[in-house]
């Protein structure tokens, strides 16, 4: 079996006390069972010029990372990746800030990273690049060594072509994507949007539902949503629900029902509308006043990007306002935490919650909704409320599907979830758990690794 080389901006280093790679490390678990090299940014910013990657080895795995220089961090990470590409891909061209200097910064980071990666590669390695940060790496590596096979997976959405082509360098980004042998998306909509954009910008021949030809190259364009290990997460939740944090939470609830939401503090997550929906739920259903607590974990993220600073100030204000209006001397409706909470602890909190509220305005897939379902007690499961704009809504149809732009509709769904009889909760949960179990992280890894290896 050839070695797998994973390229992503964040790398989950074994020496990291707090992994920085989000859901990627979890999703990649299956792929990391074999021999693999994981290459990317160290998460550090330093003035020292590094031409060689820093190597850490753990058994079958090699981790190779590079620091970013301050200018690269500003132009590439804060600028092109998070102020231009991220809002654009999340259907927010209004928030997109395009600067030619940032584009240049992105290209030069991709170039420097390729120079450091190329000497580490073996001839038959399979290279799998993730997300938009280092997207150009595939084309540059291929130019150097064309025999190897290259795959790419986009964890976040791909918008329709009138949105994507707002980007002044849209054609070169799509050209970079077309340099891969396999391009993967979370949903059919993302694939169709990409193909629509690629056909608009290039001469593309569609050979089948999953294959296109561009120039002489055949490219597989696949849809397979990322997943979790449902049974493993369920076991973690069973353990954690008896742990210190979950016990403290339970004691503090004093018999009240818990609604939970957890994500990065990001404008795509729809927090303001969610808070407003919860406030309406309280206004319309006074019988639930003091009978329910809403725990929002919103881990601060990208704090050096202006839009995220603005968002943090706005959310602090909204939560303060709602709590100020509704709180009693012995009850605060919204508990708001802007630190990250360890996944193992979250598992227990999810299991303690009667309602999981997952209402992003747009999301590639959303693993939190899968984790909420996996964490539930089969004998008394909670109810998932899920935005129709999360990629997961395509398959998790037994959730209460809502439009997050309609706070009244979300408030109604909260009421429905809070009053849903056990029989209906159990039926919905059983079907949802089956989706989470079968659409697993392992299946996602196998699908792409086999495709990149040319087996499918
Ligand atoms: O949403 C895209 C994404 O790259 C996720 O895969 C990841 O969890 C998150 O952003 C991390 O963001 P950052 O690297 O900016 O902290």
């Amino acid at each position: 079996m050839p070695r797998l080389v994973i390229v992503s901006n964040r790398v989950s280093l074994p020496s990291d006390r707090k992994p920085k790679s989000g859901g990627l490390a979890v999703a990649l678990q299956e792929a990391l069972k074999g021999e693999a090299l994981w290459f990317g940014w160290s998460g550090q910013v330093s003035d020292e010029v590094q031409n060689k990657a820093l190597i850490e080895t753990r058994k079958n795995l090699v981790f190779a990372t590079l620091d970013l220089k301050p200018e690269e961090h500003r132009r590439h990470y804060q600028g092109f990746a998070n102020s231009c590409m991220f809002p654009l891909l999340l259907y927010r061209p209004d928030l997109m800030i395009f600067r030619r200097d940032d584009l240049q910064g992105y290209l030069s980071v991709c170039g420097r990273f390729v120079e450091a990666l190329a000497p580490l590669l073996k001839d038959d390695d399979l290279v799998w690049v993730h997300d938009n940060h280092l997207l150009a790496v595939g084309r540059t590596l291929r130019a150097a060594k064309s025999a190897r096979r290259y795959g790419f997976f986009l964890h976040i959405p791909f918008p329709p072509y009138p949105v994507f082509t707002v980007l002044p360098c849209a054609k070169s980004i799509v050209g970079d994507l077309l340099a891969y042998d396999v391009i993967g998306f979370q949903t059919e909509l993302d694939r169709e949007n990409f193909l629509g954009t690629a056909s608009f910008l290039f001469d593309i021949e569609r050979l089948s539902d999953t294959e296109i030809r561009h120039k002489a190259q055949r490219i597989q364009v696949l849809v397979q949503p990322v997943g979790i290990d449902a049974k493993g997460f369920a076991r973690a939740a069973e353990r954690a629900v008896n742990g210190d944090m979950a016990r403290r939470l339970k004691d503090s609830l004093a018999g009240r029902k818990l609604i939970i939401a957890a994500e990065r503090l990001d404008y795509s997550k729809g927090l303001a509308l969610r808070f407003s929906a919860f406030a309406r739920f309280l206004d319309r259903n006074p019988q639930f006043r003091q009978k329910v607590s809403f725990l929002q974990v919103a881990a601060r993220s990208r704090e050096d990007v202006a839009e995220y600073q603005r968002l943090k100030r706005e959310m602090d204000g909204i939560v303060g306002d709602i709590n100020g209006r509704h709180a009693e001397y012995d009850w605060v409706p919204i508990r708001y935490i802007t630190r990250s909470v360890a996944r193992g602890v979250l598992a227990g909190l999810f299991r303690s919650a009667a309602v999981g509220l997952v209402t992003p305005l747009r999301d590639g897939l959303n693993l939190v909704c899968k984790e909420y379902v996996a964490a539930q007690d089969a004998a008394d499961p909670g109810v998932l409320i899920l935005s129709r704009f999360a990629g997961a809504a395509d398959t998790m149809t037994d959730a209460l599907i809502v439009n997050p732009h309609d706070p009244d509709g979300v408030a109604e769904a909260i009421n429905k979830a809070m009053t849903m009889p056990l029989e209906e909760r159990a039926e919905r949960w059983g079907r949802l758990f089956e989706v989470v179990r079968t659409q697993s992280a392992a299946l996602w890894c196998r699908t792409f690794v086999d495709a990149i290896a040319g087996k499918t």
Side-chain angles (χ1 to χ4, degrees):
M1 179 71 190
R3 181 176 68 156
L4 183 64
V5 176
I6 293 154
V7 179
S8 62
N9 185 49
R10 300 284 192 176
V11 176
S12 192
L13 289 170
S15 54
D16 272 351
R17 287 172 63 88
K18 244 183 170 184
K20 299 183 196 75
S21 59
L24 189 57
V26 176
L28 284 170
Q29 262 166 24
E30 180 79 7
L32 298 176
K33 284 181 184 161
E35 200 198 345
L37 165 68
W38 191 348
F39 175 86
W41 177 34
S42 63
Q44 305 296 322
V45 180
S46 115
D47 274 319
E48 272 173 44
V49 182
Q50 290 171 309
N51 295 319
K52 279 189 177 171
L54 190 73
I55 306 287
E56 272 188 54
T57 307
R58 284 289 183 284
K59 296 182 187 154
N60 51 320
L61 303 179
V62 177
F63 300 85
T65 55
L66 285 170
D67 295 350
L68 287 181
K69 296 175 212 162
E71 173 79 358
E72 291 175 337
H73 185 251
R74 197 156 52 83
R75 298 267 174 234
H76 164 66
Y77 175 75
Q78 296 175 19
F80 194 68
N82 284 326
S83 301
C84 180
M85 288 298 280
F86 187 83
L88 178 74
L89 290 166
L90 271 291
Y91 292 59
R92 292 297 304 271
D94 55 316
L95 297 180
M96 179 184 102
I97 301 172
F98 175 82
R99 294 188 199 95
R100 288 188 179 193
D101 285 352
D102 291 353
L103 171 63
Q104 214 36 60
Y106 154 75
L107 292 173
S108 78
V109 167
C110 288
R112 192 162 76 81
F113 275 42
V114 163
E115 276 171 29
L117 174 59
L120 305 176
L121 292 184
K122 299 178 191 169
D123 281 344
D124 63 345
D125 279 343
L126 306 175
V127 180
W128 192 10
V129 180
H130 293 260
D131 260 344
N132 56 292
H133 309 80
L134 297 168
L135 193 152
V137 159
R139 192 213 293 253
T140 322
L141 274 176
R142 183 186 282 286
K145 290 228 172 188
S146 61
R148 210 173 280 119
R149 302 247 319 156
Y150 298 90
F152 174 83
F153 187 80
L154 185 66
H155 291 255
I156 53 181
F158 196 98
Y161 84 86
V163 176
F164 191 80
T165 52
V166 166
L167 180 68
C169 59
K171 189 162 183 177
S172 81
I173 297 288
V174 173
D176 286 343
L177 280 171
L178 293 171
Y180 289 93
D181 300 292
V182 179
I183 310 172
F185 296 98
Q186 302 270 27
T187 67
E188 289 293 343
L189 179 63
D190 298 323
R191 168 164 61 191
E192 282 315 308
N193 286 342
F194 168 72
L195 289 173
T197 307
S199 312
F200 179 72
L201 296 170
F202 290 94
D203 197 9
I204 300 289
E205 190 187 345
R206 283 183 86 148
L207 302 174
S208 70
D209 282 352
T210 57
E211 207 175 11
I212 59 174
R213 186 164 26 219
H214 171 54
K215 297 180 182 159
Q217 198 195 339
R218 291 169 92 97
I219 305 166
Q220 269 180 283
V221 187
L222 301 183
V223 172
Q224 178 61 52
V226 71
I228 62 167
D229 165 12
K231 290 196 171 157
F233 198 79
R235 282 193 296 274
E238 266 179 68
R239 276 194 307 274
V241 82
N242 294 314
D244 187 40
M245 293 296 183
R247 278 188 179 281
R248 276 171 55 189
L249 173 68
K250 195 171 173 218
D251 290 348
S252 74
L253 285 171
R256 293 184 191 103
K257 284 194 175 180
L258 179 69
I259 300 174
I260 198 162
E263 56 249 306
R264 286 185 307 106
L265 183 49
D266 192 291
Y267 47 80
S268 63
K269 305 296 183 185
L271 264 67
L273 284 163
R274 185 185 306 158
F275 289 137
S276 137
F278 178 64
R280 279 179 210 206
F281 161 74
L282 291 177
D283 286 336
R284 308 249 158 98
N285 303 281
Q287 71 277 18
F288 281 115
R289 286 181 60 81
Q290 302 193 58
K291 296 277 175 2
V292 63
S293 279
F294 174 24
L295 171 59
Q296 172 69 64
V297 177
R300 292 190 304 279
S301 170
R302 304 175 186 167
E303 291 178 79
D304 33 22
V305 176
E307 193 55 38
Y308 289 78
Q309 295 164 359
R310 198 197 55 73
L311 178 76
K312 166 84 171 43
R313 285 193 298 276
E314 190 193 343
M315 291 312 112
D316 290 353
I318 292 176
V319 173
D321 180 53
I322 294 175
N323 277 344
R325 285 173 195 274
H326 291 268
E328 299 289 343
Y329 299 111
D330 56 354
W331 174 67
V332 176
I334 304 178
R335 302 174 182 203
Y336 179 53
I337 298 177
T338 62
R339 300 183 301 279
S340 63
V341 174
R343 202 166 166 261
V345 173
L346 264 185
L349 306 186
F350 286 163
R351 195 175 173 93
S352 315
V355 180
L357 199 46
V358 183
T359 57
L361 304 180
R362 190 63 64 178
D363 216 335
L365 187 81
N366 194 288
L367 286 181
V368 167
C369 64
K370 293 195 168 192
E371 291 178 341
Y372 176 76
V373 167
Q376 296 309 300
D377 176 358
D380 185 17
V383 180
L384 174 67
I385 298 178
L386 181 61
S387 162
R388 54 181 283 207
F389 302 117
D394 281 8
T395 49
M396 300 187 65
T397 48
D398 278 287
L400 297 181
I401 303 291
V402 294
N403 184 334
H405 295 279
D406 174 16
D408 290 314
V410 176
E412 273 169 25
I414 296 174
N415 188 36
K416 183 167 178 187
M418 295 288 284
T419 53
M420 190 180 284
L422 173 59
E423 199 187 349
E424 185 179 348
R425 281 191 275 132
E427 274 173 17
R428 284 176 181 269
W429 175 81
R431 290 190 292 264
L432 285 171
F433 186 80
E434 205 39 31
V435 172
V436 178
R437 193 185 63 77
T438 50
Q439 296 282 317
S440 63
L443 174 67
W444 174 73
C445 277
R446 275 200 304 276
T447 305
F448 283 102
V449 175
D450 285 355
I452 300 168
K455 287 192 199 160
T456 55

